[in-house]
Amino acid sequence: LEKSLPLLHALIFLLPEKAQFLLERAQVYKTQGALNDAYKDFRKYLSFTEIKNLSQELKTSLYELQTQLSFNKAKQETNPDLKLLH
């Protein structure tokens, strides 16, 4: 998956109308732990479609991502010293 990231960047740049590549890159980002980047790609993808059109698997993935981002934000707010470590 990690090796596919440069190819996905190029495809999104060359074929912006192919929103499917945004989902694929979001999944790669998510597996790499780049949660903010993954969320940005999901949001871009959702500008082309509605959330009701997502497969159950993608809805679950998006929900997990939102939950993890919320958890990370709450953890940083309760312990501001964690921001220094990132």
Side-chain angles (χ1 to χ4, degrees):
L1 284 176
E2 191 172 312
K3 293 179 181 182
S4 66
L5 203 50
L7 177 61
L8 289 169
H9 289 314
L11 289 170
I12 291 166
F13 178 76
L14 295 172
L15 304 167
E17 71 280 2
K18 300 294 185 184
Q20 183 65 29
F21 296 127
L22 287 168
L23 285 179
E24 292 177 27
R25 187 171 69 176
Q27 294 293 73
V28 172
Y29 278 142
K30 186 178 171 206
T31 60
Q32 291 180 337
L35 302 181
N36 288 325
D37 291 327
Y39 187 67
K40 287 177 190 175
D41 276 355
F42 266 115
R43 298 275 307 192
K44 285 179 195 173
Y45 178 78
L46 289 173
S47 72
F48 295 103
T49 189
E50 296 180 28
I51 198 163
K52 68 181 182 181
N53 295 331
L54 292 180
S55 69
Q56 188 58 44
E57 178 184 353
L58 288 173
K59 287 179 186 175
T60 300
S61 184
L62 180 57
Y63 175 77
E64 290 170 352
L65 182 59
Q66 290 172 321
T67 302
Q68 186 63 43
L69 286 170
S70 295
F71 175 76
N72 289 352
K73 183 178 179 183
K75 191 161 68 169
Q76 286 180 349
E77 288 173 356
T78 59
N79 189 356
D81 294 334
L82 287 177
K83 290 182 181 178
L84 299 175
L85 299 175
H86 293 284

